[in-house]
Amino acid sequence: MSASDQSTPAAESPVTDEPDELDEAVDDEAEDDAEDEAEDAADAVDGMTPKQARRLRVAAASVLLVVMGVVLVVRLASRTSVLVVGVYGLAMILCGIVIELSRNGRTRLGTWLLVSGLAAALAFDWLILP
């Protein structure tokens, strides 16, 4: 008998059902892709693609940024106050943050921040500012 005829099953590598690191990495990527597709599908419920939704939110935040700037100038012309600059300055910063969030694909978070932040700015204007 030759050496090749004497190979035993013990010399062969055993096949196991345990996943290795590569399998886990592929599974994690598949889960991330599935989550991204679910978010994209949720964004596209209104008939818009995710890209269109991001563009719409960036445009809305940009318009609101300009509006906050105009309101800030009007309010400062009528009454100079550090609170006016603080409230409307923070609202303008919030609009910029929303633009960046939308550009990075976090459109729903950006929308919630934009709505709640601008509502808070208007409430502060009405309740706190003289």
Side-chain angles (χ1 to χ4, degrees):
M1 285 175 96
S2 68
S4 61
D5 293 338
Q6 294 178 356
S7 65
T8 62
E12 296 177 6
S13 63
V15 176
T16 61
D17 290 336
E18 296 178 17
D20 59 354
E21 292 177 16
L22 183 59
D23 289 340
E24 291 174 5
V26 170
D27 289 342
D28 290 341
E29 288 178 15
E31 289 175 9
D32 290 342
D33 290 342
E35 289 173 5
D36 290 343
E37 288 176 11
E39 287 180 11
D40 290 345
D43 284 343
V45 168
D46 297 331
M48 291 189 297
T49 65
K51 188 174 184 178
Q52 289 172 334
R54 284 192 292 271
R55 285 184 180 173
L56 177 67
R57 287 179 179 110
V58 166
S62 299
V63 167
L64 288 171
L65 179 65
V66 171
V67 168
M68 287 294 132
V70 170
V71 171
L72 174 62
V73 169
V74 169
R75 291 285 290 170
L76 283 176
S78 66
R79 191 175 283 139
T80 57
S81 171
V82 175
L83 285 175
V84 171
V85 174
V87 167
Y88 287 104
L90 287 175
M92 291 172 69
I93 290 170
L94 180 70
C95 289
I97 290 171
V98 169
I99 290 169
E100 278 302 308
L101 285 172
S102 294
R103 287 181 57 211
N104 292 323
R106 306 301 299 172
T107 53
R108 282 180 274 165
L109 175 63
T111 301
W112 282 106
L113 281 176
L114 186 64
V115 169
S116 62
L118 292 180
L122 292 175
F124 283 142
D125 183 28
W126 185 62
L127 295 173
I128 296 175
L129 295 178

